[in-house]
């Protein structure tokens, strides 16, 4: 039994080659194999595995049902005039929408960057042997993760009511300068502060999980090579933590992109607030929400592609399971 | 290089003037448990010392204390005349700063049971990392030395591979090359072949033998009695946190004086105690 023809019988409708004999490559391959096998002795044929696959009628039924649903959805999108595809096209690249997109990107990038920076500090603090440090870090995460972001945003927007004056100086001592809170914390700054502090709490936990995932032996090896704390963290621990950190962080970025729409309550003209401004005037609510949604989808698609390459970069040197295949190999 | 202070009485044995590693009255406790107590050990310059003994005897912990990966509870360890982990001024000990401790470790190479190569770096990057980043040596020069080391451990064709794509034996040989790249005067081996399949042990032991012949000081915690017999200048048998017996390989391995040594060797070598 030299040659076990694993491919010659396919098992399911996934393998459409057998059902619809149009897929050239597969067919040619099967052909070549057959031709090659022909001159061999009949003893080999006798031992070739030509088992009949398990019938899977459920898969066929599911295929038909899902196919029907998709057809209905597409039909509706085309025939229902209320979607207003013309209006969507008209507003898609207007300057108000584009500036909304720009502000959404700025909010996302700045608050993610700040959130990651805060997250690294809070995660390292959490792992500090100093109990004050670790408990302060715990308190931070507990508070910012435990209250709704919308509340936090409105809170920062109204911080002037709590602290009318912000002063810079020696703690409990003299102050050098002071500003009016309402003056410094414009709605944009309030939004950035609110989003960053909230994101920092989530990122801290994500980064901590990444650091924990690094094998202790790595740290020992690095120490034995004479690496100092900071070098060890930068060159050995964080790059390896990245592999674990990136998938959930990609998730966070995409969530953040859409969460910036909460800033519309602070009258910040990001994407959602921009289209709101338009449909409040012309009442084309649905088409304009579609404009916003398509932009959000477009941006998340770009981010997903970026995440793929980042994962590939930080996954170097690792043998990973990219597909969850629990069955035997085909 | 200055010699170890002579007032460290317990450890002075014949040949102590040429001692490179000196462990004096060393004790290590983790909370209430004592790992080892009152250990005295001397390894001469350029000598190979093999520490053998059952698991839990405190061998690995002792080795890790020599590299200051663990801190002693009591006693002193000197390497090349320098006190490990502290600075001694008069009667007062001062803890070394992160920078000083790191510099001290960079002069001592260590090879681990589980290799601990950096998985996100290629073989060559693993070797080059510490000399370039820690000792700030010239990169071109380090690269040349790294390639020479890879030739020495027989892996010159794998410099661009990642550790995950190497066999255990190959990984351990890279780990040895990585430690040697810092040009240490002392190499510590913590059960370097215990995680390897028997047929892969040989290639690692061959590299270590070659090293021993080059005259580097080595302390090897091992279960490879053959290696100890062939290469060691001294074999130290530890059990229950104490040194039970020490001597030449022939004395300890062939004619052990202590009952405990005999029993251990019997179980390891698979023959009844004689």
């Amino acid at each position: 039994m030299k040659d076990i023809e694993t491919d010659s019988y396919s098992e399911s409708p996934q393998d459409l080659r057998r059902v619809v004999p149009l897929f050239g490559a597969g067919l040619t391959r099967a052909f070549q194999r057959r031709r090659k096998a022909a001159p061999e002795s009949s003893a080999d044929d006798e031992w070739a595995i030509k088992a009949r696959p398990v019938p899977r009628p459920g898969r066929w039924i599911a295929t038909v049902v899902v196919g029907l649903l998709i057809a209905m959805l597409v039909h509706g999108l085309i025939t229902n005039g209320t979607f207003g595809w013309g209006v969507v096209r008209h507003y898609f690249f207007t300057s108000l929408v584009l500036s909304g997109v720009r502000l959404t990107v700025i909010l996302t990038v700045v608050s993610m960057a700040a959130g990651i920076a805060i997250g690294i500090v809070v995660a390292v603090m959490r792992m500090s042997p100093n109990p004050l440090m670790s408990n302060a870090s715990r308190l931070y995460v507990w508070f910012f993760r435990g209250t709704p972001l919308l509340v936090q945003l409105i809170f920062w927007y109204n911080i002037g009511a709590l602290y009318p004056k912000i002063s810079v100086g020696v703690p409990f001592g003299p102050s050098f300068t002071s500003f009016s809170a309402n003056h410094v914390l414009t709605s944009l700054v309030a939004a950035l502060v609110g989003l960053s502090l909230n994101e920092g709490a989530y990122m801290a936990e994500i980064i901590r999980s990444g650091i924990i995932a690094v094998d202790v032996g790595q740290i020992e090896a690095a120490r034995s090579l004479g690496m100092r704390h900071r070098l060890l963290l930068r060159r050995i621990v964080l790059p390896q933590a990245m592999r674990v950190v990136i998938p959930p962080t990609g998730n966070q970025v995409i969530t953040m992109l859409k969460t910036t729409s909460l800033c519309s309550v602070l009258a910040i003209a990001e994407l959602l607030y921009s289209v709101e401004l338009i449909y409040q005037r012309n009442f084309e609510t649905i088409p304009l929400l579609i404009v916003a949604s398509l932009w959000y989808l477009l941006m998340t698609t770009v981010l997903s592609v970026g995440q793929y390459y980042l994962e590939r970069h930080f996954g170097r040197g690792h043998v990973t399971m990219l597909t969850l295949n629990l069955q035997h190999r085909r | 290089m200055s010699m170890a202070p002579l007032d460290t009485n317990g450890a002075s044995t014949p040949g102590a003037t040429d001692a490179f590693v000196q462990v004096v009255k060393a004790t290590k406790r983790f909370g209430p448990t004592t790992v080892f107590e009152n250990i005295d050990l001397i390894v001469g310059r350029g000598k190979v010392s093999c520490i053998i003994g059952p698991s839990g005897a405190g061998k690995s912990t002792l080795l890790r204390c020599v590299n200051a990966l663990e801190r002693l509870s009591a006693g002193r360890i000197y390497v090349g005349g320098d006190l490990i982990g502290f600075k001694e001024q008069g009667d007062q000990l001062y803890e070394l700063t992160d920078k000083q401790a790191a510099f001290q470790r960079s002069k001592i190479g260590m090879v681990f049971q589980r290799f601990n190569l950096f998985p996100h770096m290629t073989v060559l990057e693993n070797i080059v990392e510490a000399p370039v980043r820690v000792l700030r040596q010239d990169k071109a020069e380090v690269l040349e030395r790294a390639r020479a080391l890879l030739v020495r451990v027989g892996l010159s064709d794998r410099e661009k591979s990642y550790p995950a794509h190497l066999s255990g034996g190959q990984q351990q040989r890279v780990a040895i090359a990585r430690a040697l790249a810092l040009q240490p005067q002392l190499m510590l081996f913590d059960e370097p072949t215990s995680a390897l399949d028997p047929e892969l042990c040989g290639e690692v032991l061959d590299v270590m033998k070659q090293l021993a012949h080059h005259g580097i000081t080595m302390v090897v915690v091992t279960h490879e009695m053959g290696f100890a017999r062939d290469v060691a200048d001294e074999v130290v048998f530890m059990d229950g946190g104490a040194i039970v017996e020490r001597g030449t390989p022939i004395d300890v391995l062939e004619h052990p004086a202590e009952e405990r040594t005999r029993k251990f060797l019997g179980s390891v070598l698979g023959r009844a105690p004689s």
Side-chain angles (χ1 to χ4, degrees):
Chain A
M1 351 175 255
K2 269 193 257 166
D3 189 12
I4 295 175
E5 289 193 28
T6 44
D7 260 359
S8 64
Y9 272 81
S10 54
E11 293 182 10
S12 68
Q14 281 176 340
D15 204 336
L16 285 168
R17 269 174 302 177
R18 278 170 54 76
V19 187
V20 190
L22 286 172
F23 294 81
L27 207 67
T28 333
R29 245 194 300 135
F31 226 78
Q32 284 166 342
R33 198 177 294 132
R34 203 145 299 159
R35 261 218 312 243
K36 225 168 58 183
E40 287 184 23
S41 68
S42 57
D44 278 345
D45 286 352
E46 197 184 326
W47 287 99
I49 295 180
K50 291 181 178 170
R52 294 213 171 271
V54 178
R56 290 181 158 81
R59 287 192 187 177
W60 285 104
I61 295 166
T63 308
V64 169
V65 169
V66 173
L68 254 176
L69 285 173
I70 291 172
M72 283 163 70
L73 181 72
V74 172
H75 179 256
L77 283 174
I78 294 168
T79 53
N80 188 340
T82 337
F83 280 110
W85 292 106
V87 184
V88 170
R89 208 176 307 124
H90 178 260
Y91 280 102
F92 199 73
F93 289 114
T94 51
S95 62
L96 190 54
V97 169
L98 286 182
S99 73
V101 168
R102 217 189 66 194
L103 199 55
T104 291
V105 170
I106 290 172
L107 280 168
T108 307
V109 170
V110 173
S111 44
M112 261 329 282
I116 290 172
I118 294 172
I120 291 176
V121 173
V122 174
V124 171
M125 271 172 70
R126 174 72 184 272
M127 304 180 88
S128 157
N130 180 340
L132 182 66
M133 289 287 164
S134 62
N135 281 321
S137 157
R138 247 186 225 121
L139 189 73
Y140 177 90
V141 173
W142 171 76
F143 183 80
F144 284 97
R145 221 169 46 166
T147 52
L149 177 57
L150 189 55
V151 173
Q152 289 175 32
L153 285 173
I154 297 171
F155 175 85
W156 287 111
Y157 186 63
N158 292 302
I159 191 80
L162 193 60
Y163 296 108
K165 254 171 55 174
I166 299 171
S167 45
V168 180
V170 183
F172 303 109
S175 77
F176 305 134
T177 48
S178 63
F179 317 92
S180 146
N182 280 331
H183 195 70
V184 178
L185 277 154
T186 60
S187 56
L188 182 63
V189 175
L192 285 173
V193 169
L195 289 174
S196 305
L197 287 175
N198 184 262
E199 188 57 31
Y202 285 94
M203 284 310 301
E205 286 300 278
I206 290 172
I207 289 165
R208 193 168 68 91
S209 71
I211 293 176
I212 290 172
V214 177
D215 182 23
V216 189
Q218 291 290 309
I219 292 154
E220 294 197 332
R223 284 178 70 205
S224 81
L225 290 169
M227 289 197 183
R228 296 171 59 184
H229 291 323
R230 212 175 305 156
L231 185 66
L232 196 158
L233 200 64
R234 184 163 58 85
R235 294 286 303 173
I236 307 301
V237 175
L238 287 181
Q240 290 187 60
M242 285 302 268
R243 203 173 66 83
V244 179
V245 165
I246 282 178
T249 304
N251 230 1
Q252 289 298 111
V253 178
I254 286 169
T255 308
M256 175 62 86
L257 186 84
K258 295 170 295 167
T259 305
T260 53
S261 61
L262 283 182
C263 297
S264 59
V265 299
L266 308 187
I268 291 171
E270 43 68 58
L271 182 52
L272 181 64
Y273 193 65
S274 302
V275 302
E276 276 177 11
L277 287 177
I278 300 173
Y279 71 64
Q280 274 162 11
R281 270 182 283 126
N282 65 10
F283 303 108
E284 296 276 12
T285 310
I286 299 285
L288 279 153
L289 286 178
I290 290 175
V291 168
S293 302
L294 286 177
W295 271 111
Y296 282 121
L297 275 173
L298 194 75
M299 288 188 278
T300 49
T301 308
V302 172
L303 286 173
S304 310
V305 173
Q307 181 180 350
Y308 167 78
Y309 284 103
L310 267 179
E311 271 180 35
R312 212 175 58 166
H313 174 75
F314 283 103
R316 67 194 189 280
H318 276 274
V319 184
T320 41
M321 182 166 63
L322 289 176
T323 51
L324 191 65
N325 193 350
L326 303 176
Q327 287 181 324
H328 60 83
R329 290 206 182 165
R330 297 258 160 75
Chain B
M1 184 146 307
S2 64
M3 285 295 113
L6 288 172
D7 59 327
T8 52
N9 285 322
S12 41
T13 52
T17 45
D18 202 28
F20 190 69
V21 181
Q22 245 183 318
V23 179
V24 188
K25 299 261 175 258
T27 299
K28 174 70 187 175
R29 293 188 196 91
F30 286 118
T33 45
T34 302
V35 186
F36 53 77
E37 202 160 19
N38 262 327
I39 298 269
D40 288 318
L41 183 69
I42 284 181
V43 184
R45 187 184 298 275
K47 301 290 186 199
V48 177
S49 181
C50 282
I51 305 178
I52 61 170
S55 51
K59 306 168 300 217
S60 291
T61 311
L62 178 62
L63 203 67
R64 293 156 57 80
C65 286
V66 174
N67 201 1
L69 282 179
E70 305 273 2
R71 186 192 281 190
L72 281 182
S73 307
R76 307 276 189 274
I77 295 176
Y78 298 89
V79 173
D82 295 332
L83 179 59
I84 292 294
F86 302 94
K87 209 164 55 185
E88 212 169 14
Q89 272 174 4
D91 281 346
Q92 185 61 50
L93 289 186
Y94 296 92
E95 205 176 301
L96 291 187
T97 63
D98 180 33
K99 187 180 179 179
Q100 293 165 328
F103 180 66
Q104 208 169 49
R105 282 196 203 96
S106 73
K107 295 193 288 187
I108 303 171
M110 179 133 182
V111 174
F112 299 86
Q113 184 178 351
R114 305 221 52 94
F115 331 131
N116 296 347
L117 291 179
F118 304 132
H120 58 303
M121 298 181 183
T122 63
V123 164
L124 198 62
E125 286 165 351
N126 260 281
I127 300 174
V128 164
E129 178 71 14
V132 171
R133 304 250 171 202
V134 174
L135 299 184
R136 305 201 172 277
Q137 293 172 340
D138 176 54
K139 182 147 188 194
E141 202 180 286
V142 174
L143 274 171
E144 198 180 310
R145 197 164 72 224
R147 293 207 167 92
L149 280 168
L150 280 176
V151 172
R152 232 168 113 185
V153 300
L155 287 169
S156 45
D157 54 333
R158 304 311 295 268
E159 64 173 62
K160 287 200 174 63
S161 304
Y162 284 98
H165 300 127
L166 301 179
S167 74
Q170 289 172 328
Q171 288 190 50
Q172 193 61 299
R173 284 186 280 155
V174 174
I176 294 173
R178 179 176 70 174
L180 288 174
L182 287 164
Q183 299 173 305
Q185 294 162 304
L186 170 65
M187 283 287 284
L188 307 174
F189 292 86
D190 187 6
E191 304 196 22
T193 56
S194 296
L196 297 176
D197 290 338
E199 84 262 30
L200 298 179
C201 289
E203 61 189 54
V204 172
L205 293 173
D206 285 345
V207 169
M208 289 168 60
K209 278 180 194 167
Q210 189 200 101
L211 257 182
H213 295 316
H214 269 79
I216 192 168
T217 312
M218 288 166 57
V219 182
V220 185
V221 170
T222 187
H223 292 298
E224 291 287 334
M225 295 305 146
F227 177 81
R229 188 182 305 117
D230 296 347
V231 180
D233 294 292
E234 185 182 48
V235 173
V236 176
F237 174 66
M238 274 180 81
D239 190 12
I243 292 180
V244 176
E245 189 167 357
R246 66 180 101 198
T248 63
I250 294 177
D251 284 346
V252 177
L253 299 175
E254 306 289 338
H255 312 289
E258 299 288 331
E259 178 58 31
R260 270 198 286 177
T261 318
R262 239 171 287 161
K263 246 177 110 179
F264 170 74
L265 288 172
S267 67
V268 169
L269 300 172
R271 59 172 188 237
S274 51

